[in-house]
Amino acid sequence: MTPELTVAEQAALTSGSDAWHTTQVEAAGLPAITVTDGPHGVRLQADPRDMLRGQPATCFPPAVASASTWDPALLRRMGEALGDECRAMDVAVLLGPGINLKRSPLGGRNFEYFSEDPLLAGVLATEWVNGLQSRNVGASLKHFAVNNQETDRLRVSADVEMRTLREMYLRAFHRVITRARPWTVMCSYNKVNGVYASQHHWLLTQVLRDEWGYEGVVVSDWGAVADRVAAVAAGLDLTMPGPDPVGDQELIDAVADGSLDAGLLARNAGRVGALVRAAQSRTHGDYDQADHHALAREIAGRAIVLLKNDALQGSEQSLLPLDPDAAQSIAVIGEFARTPRYQGGGSSQITPTRLDDALTQITAAARGTVRFAVGYPAAGTPEPGAAADMDAARAEAVDLAAHSDVALVFAGSMHETEGADRDSIDLPEAHRKLIEAVAAVNPRTVVILSNGAVLSTSGWDAAVPALIEGWLLGQAGGSAIADVLFGRVNPSGRLAETIPLKLQDHPSYLDFPGEHGHVAYGEGLYVGYRGFDAREQAVAYPFGFGLSYTTFSYGQPAATATDAGIEVRVPVTNTGRRGGREVVQVYVSLPGSAVRRAPRELKAFASVPLAAGETADVTLFVERDDLAYWDTRLGRWVVEGGEYHCAVGASSRDLRGTAVAEVKGDDARVPLSTGSTLGEWLADPRGAQVLGQALAGTAADTGGPMAAVFNDPTMLLFLSAIPLGRMAAFPGSPLTPELIAELVAAANA
Ligand code: BGC
């Protein structure tokens, strides 16, 4: 609370003073603090008129890449480095991380988000926030909530049922909020089930604060607030950007006429005041640009996913890694090798301190000759009439490839940006044709993709022996790609999202992005791999997948249930000749579960470094909370008792062994009522007992149809869906309203 503030000061404090500052309240000793984007670098605007150009800062790999490391410790180091840059630039709050699930591969902001899986997103983001805040710089966990598309993002209602909302779309937020306590949470633009997130009392107060115990500041996404009074009442503390004198006045008036509780405004302003005070604990810092560039390179190298590395014809050897000392001629093809795509568009765009391109780095690394051909024009679709240029560029590249020992083709998507979803997951035609033409003349072709969201590889990947998913890798991506190509880094990235064979296969396909202001989350719980697995569909590359230059074998896993969850242990051996990292994954299922579930769900993982020949006994922990489902009848989380199968492996579709643990369930009895069906009564031991006794007593007297119920299985099935209360209406029913009321009381006693 900040009682010394006047109502007018409180109102002013709950809106910004400009795009990137809170409002100073001198009387209360509260200076204005700076908040800025985020998430993969510090975008401190250099000139107020130029939204997109920032002061130079390290452009770390965007979340699409950093998530592919599956390494929370690395994300923590990235958070720490970002914190140091914020301290150097006097930034109090960095607007990130973005942890919305990648519901569809078309999502325009997928490059800014971590995964299609809430555990992976939550674990990684927790450490990112912990790292950042260890420097006394605040995070802003965004976008709360259910902001999974750009189409109509300022208005659309994400219509999602409660289990899906809790288990999929809120789960990662819960994890980060309860474990890392981000200083701020940013509410999203969209509506959630019909109500703007910025005005959503259930979301911002009941769930976030009352259930999860959040004490920090809820800040609006920029321009997300349509009604200041409703937003403050719902629990929104800080409206950005500012100033908003009209909204401030509305708050003052609402307090004056009693339509807004004065205590609410004082409380929200108090939270902003506390944030400003917390920010004052930050000391000025400095950072070394070269060190941070090196960290960006390390993360980028760890993020690259080796999708394919087939043995070459007539040899046991794969094409990669390339021998840097070999006197071979290398054709580097594709404009992206020279002009890297390293981040997406929109508010997260960083002005890098420097920028590595792959062409320069490959040239520096290789002893042999390196020649370059542009392959396709750099910018989007060619102008009309430019097809001839395109053909000429391709012909030149094909000629170079035909006269080189190895061809490295750089291809990918032309752009991904905040504000617009993609309309396809296909490679641009010019890129696909180039790959096919080069592969046709050079059997030693490697494709390196640059893209912020999944691209279909179907049709063309069969023609190339080696394929590298290079995502958007930040400012050091060029050197990281060279590190992987020449084996200085042994790839260990894993897919944090499924690559489908085609868009139409994707669980979200029929319902994305909705229309006329609504998007139905029709696939429900079956987001990403959960949906592919439930329908046993083939995919191009599964969730969790990624190759290495070495090989790993798994021993028999063992699982032990404890009060806190399930401990899973498995020996993993590096069976190859180089050191590498295996990402060990645990997928859990409960055969015979009483509720709908995906066939398997990621519940634990570990990134394990292993020297050649080394074996590690890897211990992973599945937390009991992560086994829970949201019971809509009870309105709470429930751990179902039973034998949980913990499948351990190298991807969601490469499971090497399963261990079973018996977990004791929560007490989750749903009280019986007149609305409970006969089937529900009979499935409940106490219900079946009291009902059985009651009917046994009456059946002989009445001889009505109920008498037969317990002895006739077909009859039972026929009647089982009828609520007990309705049975009183059937002629001859021994179940009178009075008797039913007695049964309800007895069953729940
Ligand atoms: C984006 C946020 C961002 C904010 C400030 C909004 O358009 O959705 O992610 O932090 O702008 O730039």
Side-chain angles (χ1 to χ4, degrees):
M1 293 292 268
T2 311
E4 67 271 25
L5 296 183
T6 64
V7 172
E9 284 167 339
Q10 289 169 1
L13 198 53
T14 61
S15 64
S17 59
D18 64 19
W20 309 114
H21 295 93
T22 58
T23 299
Q24 172 185 357
V25 182
E26 228 176 298
L30 297 173
I33 58 168
T34 306
V35 304
T36 198
D37 287 304
H40 52 267
V42 185
R43 184 180 69 100
L44 192 59
Q45 216 170 302
D47 171 347
R49 289 157 304 181
D50 183 352
M51 271 296 280
L52 290 183
R53 212 169 43 81
Q55 291 177 25
T58 310
C59 180
F60 288 98
V64 62
S66 63
S68 304
T69 68
W70 289 56
D71 187 350
L74 203 51
L75 273 282
R76 185 181 170 106
R77 285 169 58 205
M78 178 168 157
E80 290 167 355
L82 288 167
D84 288 338
E85 296 199 19
C86 286
R87 288 172 58 209
M89 294 195 229
D90 197 23
V91 168
V93 174
L94 188 66
L95 302 175
I99 62 164
N100 298 88
L101 290 192
K102 304 189 200 212
R103 179 182 173 229
S104 161
L106 297 177
R109 269 184 119 167
N110 282 9
F111 71 92
E112 269 188 82
Y113 295 145
F114 289 102
S115 180
E116 65 190 25
D117 181 86
L119 181 89
L120 183 57
V123 169
L124 296 177
T126 296
E127 284 313 302
W128 188 105
V129 172
N130 280 334
L132 180 82
Q133 295 193 164
S134 72
R135 301 310 201 246
N136 286 344
V137 172
S140 195
L141 191 67
K142 66 192 189 181
H143 306 90
F144 192 58
V146 213
N147 180 185
N148 311 97
Q149 67 185 52
E150 296 301 284
T151 304
D152 206 14
R153 69 170 167 156
L154 272 84
R155 300 182 306 187
V156 74
S157 173
D159 297 337
V160 49
E161 56 91 21
M162 191 52 80
R163 254 197 88 189
T164 303
L165 185 56
R166 293 281 192 166
E167 292 180 33
M168 299 304 297
Y169 294 98
L170 297 184
R171 206 165 200 157
F173 282 98
H174 173 252
R175 185 172 214 98
V176 183
I177 283 161
T178 52
R179 292 166 202 233
R181 306 255 158 221
W183 289 9
T184 77
V185 168
M186 187 188 293
C187 81
S188 57
Y189 286 126
N190 52 286
K191 300 181 189 120
V192 179
N193 290 329
V195 181
Y196 279 114
S198 61
Q199 293 171 206
H200 213 303
H201 187 267
W202 177 82
L203 192 66
L204 301 187
T205 296
Q206 271 173 259
V207 172
L208 182 63
R209 297 195 186 277
D210 300 348
E211 277 183 36
W212 299 353
Y214 182 63
E215 288 173 350
V217 163
V218 177
V219 56
S220 73
D221 199 342
W222 269 228
V225 174
D227 178 336
R228 278 288 291 286
V229 177
V232 165
L236 184 106
D237 303 306
L238 177 60
T239 291
M240 290 300 284
D244 179 25
V246 174
D248 292 352
Q249 190 57 49
E250 282 166 5
L251 289 173
I252 296 165
D253 295 345
V255 167
D257 70 19
S259 54
L260 176 68
D261 180 349
L264 289 183
L265 179 62
R267 185 200 57 189
N268 294 13
R271 289 195 197 113
V272 179
L275 171 72
V276 172
R277 291 207 173 87
Q280 285 171 308
S281 66
R282 186 187 70 255
T283 51
H284 184 76
D286 223 339
Y287 75 100
D288 186 292
Q289 287 192 353
D291 285 354
H292 283 199
H293 185 77
L295 177 61
R297 177 174 179 169
E298 182 185 345
I299 300 169
R302 296 274 306 279
I304 290 169
V305 184
L306 180 63
L307 290 178
K308 195 173 174 188
N309 192 20
D310 288 352
L312 292 168
Q313 230 181 353
S315 147
E316 301 240 302
Q317 268 220 293
S318 303
L319 182 46
L320 295 176
L322 303 174
D323 178 359
D325 296 323
Q328 58 189 351
S329 53
I330 300 177
V332 175
I333 294 168
E335 183 60 49
F336 289 169
R338 187 170 64 174
T339 312
R341 275 209 68 217
Y342 61 101
Q343 62 180 335
S347 62
S348 68
Q349 225 164 294
I350 305 302
T351 302
T353 56
R354 53 192 259 206
L355 183 58
D356 295 349
D357 67 273
L359 178 58
T360 305
Q361 300 301 324
I362 291 166
T363 308
R367 241 194 66 207
T369 55
V370 175
R371 283 171 299 170
F372 174 71
V374 59
Y376 51 81
T381 348
E383 299 298 315
D389 296 349
M390 196 93 109
D391 291 346
R394 186 163 59 246
E396 189 196 326
V398 170
D399 185 54
L400 177 62
H403 295 97
S404 301
D405 296 319
V406 181
L408 308 177
V409 183
F410 287 76
S413 49
M414 299 313 287
H415 56 80
E416 280 99 352
T417 182
E418 174 182 346
D421 291 319
R422 305 190 302 167
D423 53 14
S424 155
I425 61 168
D426 294 338
L427 264 185
E429 201 191 344
H431 295 212
R432 186 182 46 75
K433 281 186 173 168
L434 176 70
I435 292 169
E436 286 168 352
V438 168
V441 298
N442 191 327
R444 291 160 60 91
T445 294
V446 183
V447 171
I448 300 104
L449 292 176
S450 298
N451 49 304
V454 157
L455 283 175
S456 166
T457 59
S458 302
W460 58 264
D461 67 345
V464 295
L467 174 57
I468 285 176
E469 176 52 270
W471 303 122
L472 304 178
L473 290 171
Q475 68 179 44
S479 36
I481 288 170
D483 289 342
V484 165
L485 285 172
F486 291 103
R488 291 187 297 235
V489 166
N490 186 354
S492 60
R494 298 289 185 268
L495 293 179
E497 53 201 295
T498 308
I499 305 183
L501 284 169
K502 57 184 190 301
L503 179 64
Q504 288 81 348
D505 291 345
H506 201 274
S508 64
Y509 177 70
L510 293 177
D511 287 315
F512 185 94
E515 61 186 0
H516 305 162
H518 286 268
V519 51
Y521 280 46
E523 73 283 14
L525 296 165
Y526 301 95
V527 180
Y529 68 89
R530 288 168 166 80
F532 288 103
D533 288 349
R535 293 185 297 195
E536 297 183 355
Q537 268 174 308
V539 299
Y541 299 96
F543 178 80
F545 177 79
L547 300 171
S548 163
Y549 295 150
T550 185
T551 46
F552 300 96
S553 76
Y554 285 65
Q556 181 57 39
T560 316
T562 72
D563 287 349
I566 305 173
E567 189 182 280
V568 179
R569 292 173 313 282
V570 64
V572 180
T573 304
N574 180 344
T575 49
R577 284 200 298 269
R578 359 169 127 235
R581 253 177 199 276
E582 176 69 332
V583 177
V584 182
Q585 303 162 39
V586 178
Y587 293 86
V588 171
S589 54
L590 179 60
S593 168
V595 293
R596 286 174 307 124
R597 291 183 192 252
R600 69 193 71 92
E601 298 183 277
L602 180 75
K603 293 296 176 191
F605 60 92
S607 170
V608 186
L610 287 169
E614 185 186 354
T615 298
D617 283 310
V618 182
T619 303
L620 304 108
F621 199 74
V622 177
E623 295 189 26
R624 186 176 169 89
D625 285 353
D626 290 323
L627 296 175
Y629 73 91
W630 182 262
D631 193 304
T632 51
R633 300 160 305 177
L634 296 168
R636 65 174 166 85
W637 293 101
V638 170
V639 175
E640 196 180 354
E643 290 191 339
Y644 284 80
H645 288 221
C646 303
V648 182
S651 88
S652 60
R653 295 223 170 153
D654 181 8
L655 303 167
R656 309 286 181 88
T658 299
V660 176
E662 171 88 37
V663 172
K664 206 171 151 301
D666 291 339
D667 178 15
R669 181 173 183 269
V670 179
L672 290 167
S673 67
T674 55
S676 307
T677 62
L678 180 64
E680 287 162 356
W681 276 82
L682 295 178
D684 181 274
R686 176 83 186 132
Q689 190 194 11
V690 297
L691 184 61
Q693 282 165 357
L695 289 183
T698 57
D701 311 338
T702 63
M706 283 295 160
V709 162
F710 280 87
N711 302 325
D712 182 342
T714 311
M715 193 69 169
L716 250 186
L717 270 183
F718 168 58
L719 295 174
S720 66
I722 303 177
L724 209 64
R726 304 275 184 87
M727 290 205 164
F730 289 87
S733 170
L735 293 169
T736 61
E738 297 72 29
L739 176 58
I740 292 172
E742 279 171 32
L743 290 175
V744 170
N748 297 324

